[in-house]
Amino acid sequence: MKPYTPEEAREQLKQLSGWHITHDGQRIRKDWVVKNFMAGMDFFNRCAELAEADGHHPDLHIEGYRNVSVELWTHAIGGLSENDFILAAKIDELPIALKTAGAK
């Protein structure tokens, strides 16, 4: 299987909200600001369960205790495939406790 071309990746990205292409077109990423550290960890646990069930594992990042992000790509092909966009759509369905306006 060949990785998606940049044009194919941009077309698939139109189906998702908040995701963007990174690493010269080789990955997609989405960032969130969660309520607190434990909200981020809860979200990551849900991502992990989903990823394990799909057999497709994202990179999960947490910075500054409430800034979380997920990066997806198909490691075996060194780029993006349909599976990345499918998993991104599934991740978007997971509950996540976001920081509310004015919260510290």
Side-chain angles (χ1 to χ4, degrees):
M1 170 185 349
K2 288 186 177 183
Y4 276 4
T5 65
E7 295 79 27
E8 291 170 323
R10 282 192 295 275
E11 191 63 31
Q12 286 291 320
L13 205 58
K14 291 178 183 178
Q15 306 299 317
L16 300 172
S17 177
W19 292 84
H20 58 277
I21 296 174
T22 66
H23 292 80
D24 295 324
Q26 295 179 341
R27 302 178 188 183
I28 57 173
R29 177 183 176 117
K30 187 169 182 178
D31 306 298
W32 297 264
V33 179
V34 294
K35 183 177 178 178
N36 54 41
F37 180 78
M38 291 309 295
M41 296 310 297
D42 180 58
F43 176 64
F44 281 170
N45 283 327
R46 293 172 196 274
C47 286
E49 289 172 9
L50 179 63
E52 188 65 19
D54 277 11
H56 193 62
H57 304 99
D59 282 4
L60 306 173
H61 306 272
I62 189 163
E63 298 176 36
Y65 83 90
R66 73 166 73 189
N67 300 300
V68 299
S69 60
V70 175
E71 284 186 334
L72 290 164
W73 79 100
T74 302
H75 298 81
I77 62 171
L80 293 166
S81 73
E82 181 179 24
N83 290 342
D84 300 304
F85 294 92
I86 291 170
L87 185 55
K90 290 179 179 181
I91 289 170
D92 279 345
E93 297 293 318
L94 295 175
I96 183 169
L98 298 174
K99 178 185 173 195
T100 56
K104 293 184 179 185

